[in-house]
Amino acid sequence: MKIGLYICHCGRNIADVVDIKNLIGYFKDKVNVVRDHLFMCSEPAWEMIRSDVTNKLVDRVVIAACSPYNHEKFFRSALETAGLSKYLLEIANIREQCSWVHGKNKREVTEKAKRLIEAAISKVKTLKPLDDLRFEVERSVLVIGGGIAGMTASLDLAKMGFKVYLVEKEPSIGGKLIKFDKIFPLNDCASCVVSSLMAEVANNPMIELITYAEVEEVDGSFGNFNVKVRKKQTYVDWEKCIGCGACTTVCPPKAWKPNEFDEGLSKRAAMYIVSPQAVPKKAVHDPELCVNCGKKKLGTRRFLRGGKEYLTPCEKACPTKAIDRSKSWNPEGELLNFNVGAIIVATGYKVMEKETFKEYAPHSPNVITALQFERILSPTGPTGGKVLRLSDGKKPKAISFISCVGSRDVRYHTYCSKVCCLYMLKQARLVKEREPEIDVYIHVIDVRAPGKDLEEYYIEARRMGIGVIRGKVGGIEELPNGRLRILGFDADLGMPVEVEVDLVVLATAIELPEDSKELARKIGIAVDPSGFLKEDHPKLRPVESTLSGIFLAGCCQGPKDVSETVAQAKAAAASVASLLSKEEIKVEPFIAKVNEKACSGCGICENVCPFNAIKVREVAVVDERSCKGCGICASCPAKAIDIQGYSAESIIAEIDALVG
């Protein structure tokens, strides 16, 4: 056994705190080869390792560098190219676990680095050559979420020849973007951007569109996920429905509720079509809202005197007989089951409700969120695009926008929601373009406009006469005359300010929806400290989740604008395609292995396995595809189960080296 140790300076990240020369001197008689390099993750260093293996100088490799998360695959490729099993490698993390977390006491930090490297050397001595597991791959993809990210990823994958199941929880695709009027920085039409995508998705033969549905369960692993999707009951025959909307016009007013598409600024009936641009444009019945006209409940029939069947107003109005309230509808909907090779999660975002912020007079109808104001500005909104107060239908004389409501705030979210400054500027500019006489103010901590053309966008807003007040807003007071008084601070003047306006727009923080967090729990992906779905590595694997085969796109991974969302969706689609384009996939072999001679068939391992990967017959049998190598089964009382690459022998050897 010939061990090679390769020590990285990481520029000055490691070398400034760890004495590299001391390490080389300490280990030169303990291993066969010791080398160092300024950047071990560089091509010359990679070639150095490959050359040593090729020339038979080493047959086991230890890298003393940064986290294995960063470059483990890179180092493995050097071994593999030289003809050595890539799993005869161990990485000692002397950056994140050593130089980055201790002070400048070079002697003590160097001693710790020695212990970490000795542990890695002890483990690598126990390693055995392993081969990747190979499985056939299902050439289809599940995309969860029908917003701009989900649609973009679906179309890209479909064009590359993959079958795509696009699941959207609402009755229509389009996401939040279909609610907007314009998009910065060009102020181009949002509907023009998204409507064509919606139509293209609906008409692509490689995309199976499953709307008004939610993912209920995901089993299996990368290359072959088994997915269960629950299609919710619409109580309308979508095969017959032509989307004419006749049923929605006859529903009595007492069966109306705040319209979700208009962010609660208008009302919808129990029979409704989600939006004017809905795809698919089909009616949905809300049984909880329905007043059961004529006491004819779902699944029953009622007859008038003379034997003539009674029809409800919606049944009468429907020209295609798509509504049949005597039909026995299953309220549980329909359960779909299919297999996919990979999953892209693109479930979007929500904004914080104004009711959270008691200091901003949330009870006032003239205090609204920026997303609600988008609906006022939109030609499909409750005012037809006219800038009006919904409280009295009058045009406001002055409007104030307040930024960072819930963002950059230790009470709620410390992160910046990233797009608020720009969409406030956009909305303010649209107001000025349509109604120049309206006074417009924006209250900001500071304006953040990074990116191409965005600083110019901000400068143009100032030229239009939009007042930008730099400073936090402490509260809002309602005045007897119906106006609102903004109590703020002007950091440029260094004094408190008061501004009286007729309408206040709150730029509330972007968050991950609760149902997305529940979905993350169902499929096993992580949520980061900010509350968004966690990527595997923020720089090297920004579209991959922490679970192999599941990818992220759009605002479910963090706040971003349309261009960033589209770019990430395309990146996720390309990443999926690069993996599913092969006839088979390779999977790391770190799975449970059973010593059949030692196994008594007690069944403890089957009961504790969280992935249902072990079945006990006469002895325990491991499903290699389902096993994740978590190691819980290694608690076997007969010591009949071990994890390849992380055997009990390897772990004990590491511990002995660390504490010895």
Side-chain angles (χ1 to χ4, degrees), residues 394-410:
K394 294 180 179 179
K395 184 171 69 176
K397 295 179 181 178
I399 301 175
S400 268
F401 294 85
I402 301 177
S403 74
C404 301
V405 180
S407 302
R408 303 172 69 187
D409 188 328
V410 293

Side-chain angles (χ1 to χ4, degrees), residues 217-221 224-228 337-340 343:
E217 187 178 325
V218 174
D219 288 323
S221 59
N224 189 26
F225 291 105
N226 180 256
V227 181
K228 292 180 181 178
N337 199 325
F338 49 84
N339 284 40
V340 296
I343 299 171

